[in-house]
Amino acid sequence: MTDLQRSKLLVTRTLPQLSQARLDKGFDGVDIVQWKEDRAIPRQEFLKLAKGADGILCLLTDKVDAELLDAAGPQLKVVSTMSVGYDHVTVSELEARKIALGITPGVLTEATADTTVLLVLSAARRLREGVDAVIQGKWGTWSPTWLLGSQLTDKTVGIVGLGRIGVAVAKRLKAFGVQKFVYQGTRPKKDVEKEVGGEIEFVDMDRLLKESDVICVCCALTDKTKNMFDYAAFSKMKDSVVFVNTARGGIVEQDGLVRALREGKLGSVGLDVTVPEPLPTDSELLSFPNCIVLPHIGSGTLETRTAMSEIAIENVLSGIKGERLPHPHDA
Ligand SMILES: O=CC(=O)O
């Protein structure tokens, strides 16, 4: 192969071991340029290294917009993000330039649903307060009234976004004795309802907010869902509600959440995603004992992250060759 036929692939981070080993071995006809530091590629570096790339394998930390695509140049064929969410990518700009966009659907459903359940139970059972009490020597004698949480038995759970992850969350929570699921989304999904089984109903947002004992946010961040949970929404919820977001921080209007927590309007909150990420340690959100924040580790298992990086590699290699991506964003 002559140099003229070689392709350039930019990878914006070190990948999980198995996938990194594949990159290190290399691919025929592909020159790999990789940002290997264990922090997000700085913007200026991203713009510089993207120049001349035929394919970019990036993460949800890397903004892909018109400026980046301009910096890359007209030869760019594919952007493959190692994530199922792609709100960091300006899709219209890619479409206008006929650049394919690959994502990693399916493989992170189970891990993310597990994390959602983890946060539901942790928030409902006041895990943070319990652990803090033990560490701080505030664990007194056993008490019938101390640190009482709530349980899922006979409760109503609201799922916002009954996609793959929403369904997986509902199936898991059903095993804890949930009586009824209500859900919100772009449309009722009768076929998907069957998958969850039991009592499940598509309701309007007002009803979901008012009737749910637990609310799980499992939808994508879009123009429609941005800031969907604001102070007004939190004010409609039960004051015992367990509110969990493992989707994207931008779906919650965070000042409204802080105000609702400050005013004691919410039972407990579990977040895997915030704005910004990382959340500054002086954020007021971290001052509420009934609010648990995880550092965006919804899909954070070795199995899942490996499966994600493998798909991201397959997507980007297919795109570089001009083939249809195995997992395009609009499948
Ligand atoms: O948040 C994780 C993802 O979108 O993959």
Side-chain angles (χ1 to χ4, degrees):
M1 192 174 268
T2 71
D3 266 5
L4 282 177
Q5 289 167 304
R6 293 192 72 80
S7 301
K8 173 176 171 180
L9 164 60
L10 169 62
V11 182
T12 63
R13 200 80 68 84
T14 303
L15 299 184
Q17 202 178 10
L18 192 128
S19 306
Q20 186 58 45
R22 282 183 72 198
L23 290 185
D24 291 343
K25 234 170 120 197
F27 306 108
D28 278 349
V30 180
D31 295 323
I32 300 175
V33 174
Q34 189 170 18
W35 175 259
K36 279 196 167 174
E37 288 185 35
D38 196 17
R39 62 184 173 110
I41 185 169
R43 182 70 180 174
Q44 285 314 314
E45 206 65 25
F46 195 16
L47 293 172
K48 197 172 89 195
L49 296 184
K51 190 173 163 46
D54 299 278
I56 296 177
L57 193 165
C58 67
L59 310 182
L60 55 82
T61 47
D62 313 322
K63 200 172 169 59
V64 178
D65 55 8
E67 183 190 31
L68 188 275
L69 300 178
D70 285 343
Q75 76 299 323
L76 183 65
K77 293 194 193 71
V78 57
V79 172
S80 166
T81 180
M82 188 188 140
S83 60
V84 70
Y86 51 92
D87 46 282
H88 54 298
V89 179
T90 312
V91 176
S92 55
E93 288 293 339
L94 266 72
E95 280 170 358
R97 298 161 201 238
K98 302 210 174 346
I99 297 168
L101 173 60
I103 60 171
T104 63
V107 291
L108 45 71
T109 303
E110 310 302 329
T112 309
D114 289 351
T115 305
T116 309
V117 174
L118 176 73
L119 279 173
V120 168
L121 293 176
S122 303
R125 295 301 298 274
R126 305 175 62 176
L127 188 82
R128 172 178 170 180
E129 291 166 85
V131 171
D132 284 352
V134 175
I135 292 170
Q136 293 162 8
K138 292 182 182 154
W139 179 9
T141 185
W142 188 91
S143 157
T145 55
W146 187 53
L147 274 185
L148 304 187
S150 60
Q151 63 193 62
L152 288 157
T153 328
D154 299 329
K155 297 285 166 55
T156 296
V157 173
I159 306 272
V160 180
L162 198 66
R164 269 184 284 247
I165 295 171
V167 168
V169 168
K171 280 179 169 171
R172 282 161 171 70
L173 291 183
K174 218 174 140 204
F176 290 88
V178 167
Q179 186 186 53
K180 179 174 181 179
F181 289 97
V182 291
Y183 71 99
Q184 242 302 302
T186 45
R187 61 188 165 84
K189 294 181 164 176
K190 288 287 163 208
D191 44 331
V192 179
E193 284 182 18
K194 281 198 205 104
E195 235 190 285
V196 176
E199 206 181 335
I200 173 158
E201 191 184 355
F202 182 76
V203 295
D204 61 35
M205 195 53 156
D206 246 45
R207 260 191 72 192
L208 184 138
L209 297 176
K210 286 180 183 147
E211 291 179 16
S212 301
D213 298 293
V214 174
I215 295 177
C216 298
V217 182
C218 301
C219 59
L221 171 61
T222 64
D223 289 344
K224 284 209 178 80
T225 61
K226 189 165 193 249
N227 291 333
M228 178 188 233
F229 289 94
D230 55 8
Y231 179 73
F234 289 117
S235 301
K236 288 179 187 162
M237 295 178 191
K238 295 186 180 186
D239 59 10
S240 57
V241 74
V242 177
F243 177 81
V244 168
N245 183 11
T246 50
R248 282 291 183 272
I251 299 167
V252 170
E253 200 281 296
Q254 222 159 261
D255 289 343
L257 172 61
V258 166
R259 183 175 164 201
L261 276 163
R262 211 187 286 137
E263 294 174 3
K265 285 191 186 302
L266 307 172
S268 53
V269 172
L271 306 173
D272 184 45
V273 286
T274 57
V275 177
E277 292 180 6
L279 188 67
T281 49
D282 62 357
S283 164
E284 195 178 338
L285 256 190
L286 298 176
S287 68
F288 303 103
N290 58 339
C291 177
I292 297 185
V293 182
L294 294 180
H296 202 150
I297 51 166
S299 64
T301 65
L302 179 60
E303 297 90 329
T304 289
R305 290 284 168 82
T306 302
M308 290 168 72
S309 54
E310 286 296 287
I311 288 180
I313 289 177
E314 295 316 320
N315 273 336
V316 84
L317 291 180
S318 299
I320 284 176
K321 286 186 220 144
E323 295 168 1
R324 186 177 158 72
L325 308 194
H327 296 282
H329 75 289
D330 52 358

